Each structure stands twice: as structure tokens, then as C-alpha cells.
Amino acid sequence: MNLSSVVGIASTGLDSIGRQLAVVSQNVANASTPGYARERQEIGAEVAGGAGIGVRIGLTVRSMDVALQTEGFAASAAATGQQVTADALGAIDGASGAPGSGRDLSALLGTVRDGFSALSGDPSSQTQQGAVIGQAGALAGGVTALAGVIGTARQAAQDNAVATVAQANAALKTVGALSVQIRGAASRGEGTAQLEDARDGALQTIANLTGARVFHQAD
């Protein structure tokens, strides 16, 4: 092997090291970036006539566990759904009154029941009649307030559903467009890591909005 060949092999080796260091640096810089998947540089031996002639530098590919990513999407979607439910029911719970406060609907209904029971013992008592009327009014006010809150929550849910469908459709279109780009780049031997990161972001949006589970197919 002549000196020129040795220098050439060493040069490709150094170049591969530089590329790997660049990928490591990128991974470190994006460690806290949402949706970023750790990448690695593919390298191999360049061989000609059964003899090594250098280092072959391949594509930069993502290093990730697809099954774990799928479970991550599902967990995130479940957490988002639970938060939406909690937010929707929070106002209704508040309007219903805290149990034991004496202002919750169960307590108000119990007060009216007790008032009528007392009134039945002395139907002519104006004091007791007034008390029952006041108690019934308080119950009616509580029911009216709760009905208003439920109506507002229902309308908010309907409005949110319309917005959610629009966002999910937009994300689905993004997934489709990026998948076409990924297939095209892969057929040309180009790296697809950044495109896949962008597609994962759209898939995460779909999962959060709809609770859909994500599965990767070979095609």
C-alpha cells in the first residue's frame, strides 16, 4: 500500500470522526427540544477488491425505540384527555357545591325535605311556611345555576370539537405530505431524520386531539 492510499484512508477516517462528533453535538444541543429524536451517524468499511480503502460514511439516522414511542404517544393522549375531562367537570362540580358545605344540591334538597316535614306538623305556621319557601327558592337557584353551567360546558365542548376536527385534519394532511417527502428522500439515498421528527410532531398532535394510537408500518 502506497503512501497516497494510507493518507486517503486516514482522511476518510478523520472525516467520519468529524461527522460523528457533529451528530453528537447536535444531540446534546437538542436534548431538551420537544419532538427531537437522538440521531446517529452510520459508518462502515469501504472495500475494493477485498481490501479496505477507507471509511464509508452513510446517512444520519434516528436512534429510537418505535414501540416505546408508540406507548409515549398513547400516554400523552391519555393525560391530555384526562385534563380536558377534568377542566370540563371542574366548573360543574363547583356549581354543584362542595359536599358538606351546606350549599351543595344534596344539602339544599335535604333542607327542603326537612322543612316540609316540619311544616306538616304545623301547616298553619307562617314562619315555617316562609322558611320552606326560602329553602325551595335556594334549591331552585342552585339547580338553575347548575343548568347554566352545564349549558355553557356543553357549548364549549361543541365549539372545541369543531376546532379539534379542523386541527386533526390539518395534522393528518401534514403527516401525508411528510410521508411522501420521506419516501422520496429515502429512494434517493438522502437522510430523513428531520422529516421524521416533523412527522412525529404531527402524529403527537393527532394522538393528543383524538386519542388515536400510532403504529409504524413497513410501507
Side-chain angles (χ1 to χ4, degrees):
M1 182 178 293
N2 57 40
L3 180 59
S4 178
S5 298
V6 172
V7 172
I9 293 174
S11 177
T12 58
L14 290 173
D15 189 22
S16 71
I17 292 174
R19 292 286 291 274
Q20 292 179 75
L21 288 174
V23 171
V24 170
S25 177
Q26 178 174 298
N27 287 336
V28 172
N30 290 281
S32 60
T33 300
Y36 179 81
R38 185 169 64 87
E39 299 178 2
R40 60 182 174 82
Q41 181 66 52
E42 290 189 327
I43 60 172
E46 194 71 50
V47 180
I53 59 174
V55 178
R56 176 177 54 79
I57 300 176
L59 299 175
T60 300
V61 298
R62 303 197 305 170
S63 180
M64 60 181 300
D65 186 326
V66 174
L68 186 60
Q69 179 196 52
T70 298
E71 293 305 315
F73 282 157
S76 177
T80 301
Q82 290 169 1
Q83 186 60 54
V84 170
T85 301
D87 291 343
L89 295 180
I92 296 175
D93 286 343
S96 299
S101 66
R103 299 300 302 170
D104 57 291
L105 292 183
S106 295
L108 293 175
L109 181 60
T111 300
V112 172
R113 181 194 60 227
D114 293 342
F116 273 111
S117 178
L119 182 60
S120 65
D122 186 8
S124 62
S125 172
Q126 294 184 350
T127 300
Q128 192 57 42
Q129 291 174 0
V132 169
I133 291 174
Q135 293 159 356
L139 176 61
V143 172
T144 299
L146 179 59
V149 171
I150 291 175
T152 300
R154 180 186 296 112
Q155 185 60 53
Q158 292 173 347
D159 294 343
N160 184 62
V162 173
T164 295
V165 169
Q167 294 174 38
N169 281 336
L172 283 168
K173 290 180 180 179
T174 298
V175 170
L178 288 170
S179 293
V180 171
Q181 295 179 49
I182 290 169
R183 288 197 299 270
S187 67
R188 296 189 297 271
E190 299 172 358
T192 61
Q194 292 184 352
L195 291 173
E196 292 180 76
D197 283 346
R199 184 174 62 179
D200 282 351
L203 290 172
Q204 181 72 77
T205 296
I206 295 169
N208 286 346
L209 290 172
T210 67
R213 291 182 65 85
V214 177
F215 297 95
H216 290 269
Q217 302 295 335
D219 58 0

